[in-house]
Amino acid sequence: MKCRSLIAFLLVLCAFTLTGAQEGIGPPDSISADSTRGDSILPPAPVGNLKAWDTDDDHGHSVTLEWEISSDDGAGQNSVLSYEIFRWTPFFMDTLKGIRNSLAQTEAYIAELQAFLPRAKKRLKVHRKGEPGVGFADSVAFYVDTIAASERWLPLHKDRLGQLRRERAQAIDMIPQAHKSYPEQGEWRKVGTALSGQTSYVDAGVKEKVSGDYLADHADYYYRVDAVTADSTIRTSSEIAGPVQSYGQFFNTGRIPVFVAVIVFTFLTVFFVTKARRGADLYVRPLAGIEAVDDAIGRATEMGKPILYVLGLGTAADIGTIASFTILGRVAKRVAEYQTKLIVPCYDPIVMTVAQEIVKSAYLDAGRPDDYYEDIVYFVTQSQFAYVAAVNGTMLRELPATNMYMGVFFAESLILAETGALAGSIQIAGTDQVAQLPFFIVACDYTLIGEELYAASAYLGREPILLGSLKAQDYAKAAVMVLALLGLIAVNLDWTAFTDLFVVAK
Amino acid sequence: MSDVAFRIPLVVLSDIGRVISLMFIGAGLLWILVRSLRAKEVDRRIVFLFIFIAVAAPILFPITFQERATLIVRRLFDKVESLPAGSRVLLAFDFDPAMAPEVQPMADAISRHCLTKGHKVVFMTLWATGQALLTQSLERVVKGEFPEKLDGVDYINLGFKAGNENVLNIIVTDFRMMFPTDVNGVPLDSTSIFDDIRSCKDLDLIISMGGGKPGIKEWVLYVGDRVNVPLGAGVAAVVAPQLYPYYPKQLLGLLGGVKGAAEYESELVRQYPHLEERGTPGLRMMGPQTLAHMVIMAFIVIGNISYFISRRRERKR
Amino acid sequence: MRRSTIIVMAAIFGLFILTWILRSTSLASVQEHYLIGGFKVTFSAFLTLAILSFLYKDNPFYKFAEHLFVGISAAFWMSMGFWTTIVGNLIPRLSRSLSEFFQVPYQPGSYNFVYFIPVILGIMLLMRLSSKYGWFARWPLAFIVGTFAGLNFVRYLRSDFIEQVSATFVPLLVNWQGVEHFFSNFSLSASGQFVAIVGNWVIFLGVICGIIYFFFSKEHKGAFGTASRVGIWILMITFGASFGYTVMGRISLLVGRITFLFRDWLGLIS
């Protein structure tokens, strides 16, 4: 009795071992309900409704899969641990892989030879200069032979490289054709894994043809999803989905909101700039800081003290500096009319050149070209704190009645404004650097906050492009306010159709 | 017994030092208030001296406070904590030595957290001066505290690449085009950590630490809003207010200045008490920080009192 | 220079040399090159104190430290620009022999004549230094401005416009389950319903009023003017918070420096 039980047990054990040994390259399509082990994990239910399609809104080389989870995933037997995604792959792809490997090896060998040759030639030179001794002739001969062999092999390998590259290119072109051999000349290979509970997977390859992860477009792909248990041999395959071809889309529909915003904003800008160019009077509200400029200039004239104008630390390409140029022109014209002294220390040489031209033409417009001299606008240094130290020195020596800081400023803003306050000057500042605004607001009498600097430039200069852009921005702001209000109503009344319009796909 | 007997005087000295310095600061503030009320000027160098004492005293005689992470810090901490071991995290050290006192503590804390959780960490920087700080952090935190972690397997240092935001523009689709090798010249293809990483899309979390340009804003514009990968940030205090509009939609969490660093460290130590012995510089800095802030607030109040009183006097005249 | 100044300067130098010797002595058991290690720490401390001495008044030590910093940073960035951009990014893509010369890994297969275009544009940009041919620099400048404008136009519209607009779509009544539930569960905690509701109202009204403040096409009168004033209040509160954050940042840097002085230089703390 005991002997028979032992033999039966051994037979079962052998049967199990043989079953395991018979597994090939890929897992079996499914395990039948009969081949269970002692602790009986039954094969799980397969995933349902497997669909595959080309991934939307991309440049191609990607297929999206979706399925309904197995009924044994989180329910039923609760045995599903993961899902494995298989793609049918023609054996031809192994040939391509072989070509790629040979190519990589040849490239590496050529790189080695190319790195070796100059070193070897150097060593040969050294050896030839050295003292003849034991083994001297052998070393020289060794290097001579090796160099000669390398120089013989190198062109051969380069030819081989060229040939392999041609073969690779041809093989890549044959990929779609190779996939048409389904289901004969190929096998199922795993391409990815998804955890239990997941219902989708994106099989994404790269677009570089030379890469091993290249997923060709316009090839017929077939997919299968296996529901896998803790014992990876116990699994159930789904039905096959395919053929599906990947291809790139010309337009990413997920970014339509951005497209609409670009169109609307561009239209508004072009419309208002054109309107301004035609001579339309575009209203810009008066700004407190700019209205104070005239008073400040008048104050300086009465006190007989100069006006200090600082253009900031930006370059001539910065918008803040460009806006400051316009304001400088206006200030310079008034200063010329009132015959007050103007001091403009500059940080950037290009900015200095532009500022000189502006001040010179402002004096000309005011009818006082003789009052202009080169030293009104001068270069100090391109070192941040050295520049600040120099300007502080000017403030404490010249004691200007008015200080104007218009442009791009950084950490030196508070140092400038504080010293100006110490000197007793009235201070008007304007910058688009948000981090520096608090310092100017605290230490200056008037501050143009952010966009007010650009508005001031448009207000004073009345240039069509500046005015038109400002108007376009204002209309865009109005649109934002309306959209914000509508969006608020939509969220509170649960109108997802409206809020979804602002979702931009990643 | 002798050890305890030796330690007691040090502890007592520290307490005495704390008390004396606080009394000195309190008395000094009172003196300034009286002078201000009498409309006498207070030399600004006195103010500088008070700030120095307010900062120096808690460094010499440590004062520490309990910290509790706010939601904005907690979200980032929870994300790092909830990711399964083996997740791919990118840490960008986008700061220079000028920001290091604030940002380095949070960078070290986050690195420590990621490595404790067993994440695969990719280190990089967009700042030339950040490379040295990154190397120091690797020596101190990664190699010093986690010697079992392997370069190329558990973490990798890509180093610095010039190009500012253009680097981000490229790595969002292809890492290898911008970083063909790591900082030691090892090709990325021969590292196991980059087996599954082709671009930023293949990462599980990105955390950028810095405060200038290129910085968090560039990461949001060029990477965060383009890929479906959560983005967190740790910044110098100066820049933090400008980044709040990005939270919580575009930024998962934000550590602002040394306070953010202290909050993160406190959560880390609460979750992993054994990490406390490795140092909590952020928490240590909060003592002098808090005292300095209180002194500044006192000066603001005194200044305003003095201002209103002098204005009333002028009106009476 | 006056004699007293010379004596003071000599005394200061003497003190620093003394601290160098003391620091080197303490590092002798820990570091191999302890003299250099001690010098590094002492010189760093000297430069720190030299810069901080400006708070008292301008002096030769501050001037020396400032000029040293300016000179070294200029040289550092020039050399960085060459080694990271030209040698780091360009040469490995173009030339194997140059890559070997500069000891950087060559990137095989990445050669493309397109990389010569930024080289040419870069040379044109450098011509700004010439008064006769400086106009060449306008072309690469135009390329830079145009490229960045194009790259950033869409990105800023997306991240700073559309995403921000949709972020203002906030529920005004958060987790609303009736007035009774609101008052019975009332709390001022940061994660509570009341704070969430107030926060959302502030976000929405703050955005609208802030935008109204920056609206330049209409004069700020009446209700519009009131909303604009609310907007400027919101802005000022923001700037105050920003100022506070900046103060915190600056104090942190001071804490870092003083910690260095006390720990690494003077050894007063561990």
Side-chain angles (χ1 to χ4, degrees), chain A residues 54-90:
Chain A
D54 166 56
T55 307
D56 291 325
D57 298 325
D58 67 351
H59 64 305
H61 314 286
S62 173
V63 174
T64 302
L65 300 161
E66 252 185 30
W67 59 85
E68 287 166 7
I69 58 170
S70 161
S71 54
D72 290 324
D73 179 352
Q77 289 184 86
N78 198 17
S79 56
V80 171
L81 219 63
S82 62
Y83 297 103
E84 286 181 359
I85 295 94
F86 288 84
R87 187 199 322 136
W88 189 85
T89 308

Side-chain angles (χ1 to χ4, degrees), chain B residues 11 21 40 77 80 89 119 124 128 133 141 155 166 175 188 195 197 199 224 263 274 299 309:
Chain B
V11 169
S21 43
K40 287 185 183 167
F77 181 90
V80 177
V89 180
H119 298 327
M124 63 168 279
L133 295 167
V141 177
Y155 70 93
N166 298 305
F175 254 110
L188 292 196
D195 274 348
I197 302 175
S199 68
E263 288 177 15
H274 68 278
F299 281 138
I309 287 174

Side-chain angles (χ1 to χ4, degrees), chain A residues 19-235:
Chain A
T19 313
Q22 277 164 15
E23 283 180 357
I25 298 164
D29 286 343
S30 65
I31 306 283
S32 70
D34 293 335
S35 56
T36 53
R37 287 211 290 179
D39 46 11
S40 307
I41 299 176
L42 293 173
V47 303
N49 206 14
L50 174 66
K51 288 190 206 135
W53 66 88
D54 166 56
T55 307
D56 291 325
D57 298 325
D58 67 351
H59 64 305
H61 314 286
S62 173
V63 174
T64 302
L65 300 161
E66 252 185 30
W67 59 85
E68 287 166 7
I69 58 170
S70 161
S71 54
D72 290 324
D73 179 352
Q77 289 184 86
N78 198 17
S79 56
V80 171
L81 219 63
S82 62
Y83 297 103
E84 286 181 359
I85 295 94
F86 288 84
R87 187 199 322 136
W88 189 85
T89 308
F91 293 127
F92 175 79
M93 298 303 286
D94 293 333
T95 312
L96 178 56
K97 191 177 177 183
I99 297 171
R100 284 200 177 107
N101 288 344
S102 302
L103 196 62
Q105 280 171 7
T106 311
E107 277 173 344
Y109 190 60
I110 290 171
E112 264 183 50
L113 280 176
Q114 284 176 328
F116 167 75
L117 273 168
R119 283 201 311 265
K121 285 174 180 170
K122 228 188 228 177
R123 295 297 305 162
L124 181 61
K125 249 189 209 172
V126 166
H127 275 283
R128 278 187 170 145
K129 278 184 192 165
E131 287 292 319
V134 175
F136 169 76
D138 288 338
S139 302
V140 169
F142 166 75
Y143 276 107
V144 166
D145 289 342
T146 316
I147 290 167
S150 302
E151 282 175 341
R152 267 199 317 273
W153 278 109
L154 194 57
L156 293 173
H157 280 292
K158 282 184 176 172
D159 287 341
R160 173 89 181 117
L161 185 72
Q163 188 193 340
L164 282 169
R165 281 185 177 148
R166 283 191 295 275
E167 282 177 21
R168 182 182 60 184
Q170 281 166 7
I172 286 169
D173 289 339
M174 285 174 63
I175 291 175
Q177 185 63 33
H179 278 79
K180 286 193 193 312
S181 64
Y182 173 84
E184 271 94 42
Q185 291 157 41
E187 61 186 6
W188 291 97
R189 290 188 187 165
K190 184 173 127 182
V191 294
T193 313
L195 297 172
S196 65
Q198 277 185 258
T199 57
S200 66
Y201 179 81
V202 176
D203 180 21
V206 297
K207 63 179 195 257
E208 285 79 31
K209 290 183 177 179
V210 299
S211 166
D213 295 325
Y214 173 63
L215 192 76
D217 280 343
H218 308 294
D220 289 340
Y221 295 110
Y222 295 86
Y223 289 90
R224 190 189 87 200
V225 175
D226 285 6
V228 183
T229 60
D231 180 354
S232 63
T233 59
I234 298 176
R235 55 175 65 217

Side-chain angles (χ1 to χ4, degrees), chain B residues 44-45 48 51-52 55-57 59-60 97-102 127-129 160-163 165-167 169-170 176-178 180-181 185 213 217-218 220-222 225-226 236-238 240-242 244-246 249-250 256-260 284-286 288-289 292-293 296, chain C residues 52 54-57 76-77 80-81 84-86 88-89 92-93 105-107 115 147-148 151-152 155-156 158-168 190-191 238 241-263 268-270:
Chain B
R44 56 177 47 209
R45 288 173 288 197
F48 300 151
I51 298 292
F52 174 78
V55 169
I59 291 175
L60 288 171
M99 280 183 266
E102 291 181 271
W127 285 49
T129 40
F160 163 72
K161 256 303 176 231
E165 56 266 38
N166 298 305
V167 174
N169 205 21
I170 293 172
R176 286 159 179 77
M177 200 189 279
M178 207 64 226
T181 66
K213 189 181 190 296
K217 192 176 171 81
E218 282 67 36
V220 170
L221 257 62
Y222 286 81
D225 281 349
R226 286 178 68 183
V238 183
Q242 297 167 38
Y244 273 90
Y246 294 120
K249 263 191 95 182
Q250 291 153 289
V258 78
K259 180 81 169 70
R284 264 205 326 270
M285 281 171 76
M286 284 312 294
Q289 192 82 43
H293 283 200
I296 290 169
Chain C
L52 287 173
F54 184 74
L55 294 172
Y56 184 70
K57 64 177 176 180
F76 174 81
W77 286 112
M80 261 294 158
T84 56
T85 307
I86 309 238
N89 276 346
R93 290 184 165 93
Y106 175 65
Q107 294 175 32
Y115 291 121
T147 311
F148 271 94
L151 270 176
N152 288 331
R155 288 202 173 84
Y156 272 83
R158 178 192 180 151
S159 299
D160 283 1
F161 188 77
I162 293 171
E163 297 281 356
Q164 297 297 313
V165 166
S166 70
T168 56
S191 53
T238 310
S242 176
F243 202 128
Y245 256 112
T246 307
V247 167
M248 178 170 92
R250 303 291 179 241
I251 297 290
S252 302
L253 300 182
L254 181 63
V255 170
R257 278 290 90 197
I258 292 178
T259 305
F260 163 78
L261 289 173
F262 285 168
R263 184 187 60 203
L268 294 175
I269 55 173
S270 60

Side-chain angles (χ1 to χ4, degrees), chain A residues 114 257-258 262 283-285 383 386 439 441 449 452 471 474 477 480-481 483 487-488 491-492 504-505, chain C residues 66 70 96 154 157-158 161-162 169-172 204 211-220 239 243 246:
Chain A
Q114 284 176 328
V258 182
V262 166
Y283 173 77
V284 178
R285 69 171 171 87
S383 163
F439 307 128
I441 287 168
I449 301 171
E452 286 184 326
K471 273 292 172 195
D474 269 358
K477 280 174 216 157
V480 165
M481 285 191 274
L483 289 172
L488 186 83
V491 158
N492 286 281
V504 182
Chain C
E66 193 201 355
V70 167
R96 176 187 294 282
V154 176
L157 260 182
R158 178 192 180 151
F161 188 77
I162 293 171
F169 300 165
V170 290
L172 292 177
F204 179 71
I211 293 174
I212 286 173
Y213 175 76
F214 287 107
F215 198 76
F216 300 107
S217 298
K218 189 179 177 326
E219 216 169 325
H220 290 181
F239 291 140
F243 202 128
T246 307

Side-chain angles (χ1 to χ4, degrees), chain A residues 354-390:
Chain A
V354 177
Q356 276 175 340
E357 288 301 318
I358 288 171
V359 171
K360 197 173 178 180
S361 51
Y363 270 73
L364 201 64
D365 289 345
R368 299 202 188 275
D370 297 333
D371 288 345
Y372 173 78
Y373 54 98
E374 288 286 326
D375 287 343
I376 290 175
V377 182
Y378 59 97
F379 173 73
V380 180
T381 173
Q382 271 199 302
S383 163
Q384 185 181 16
F385 290 104
Y387 172 76
V388 168

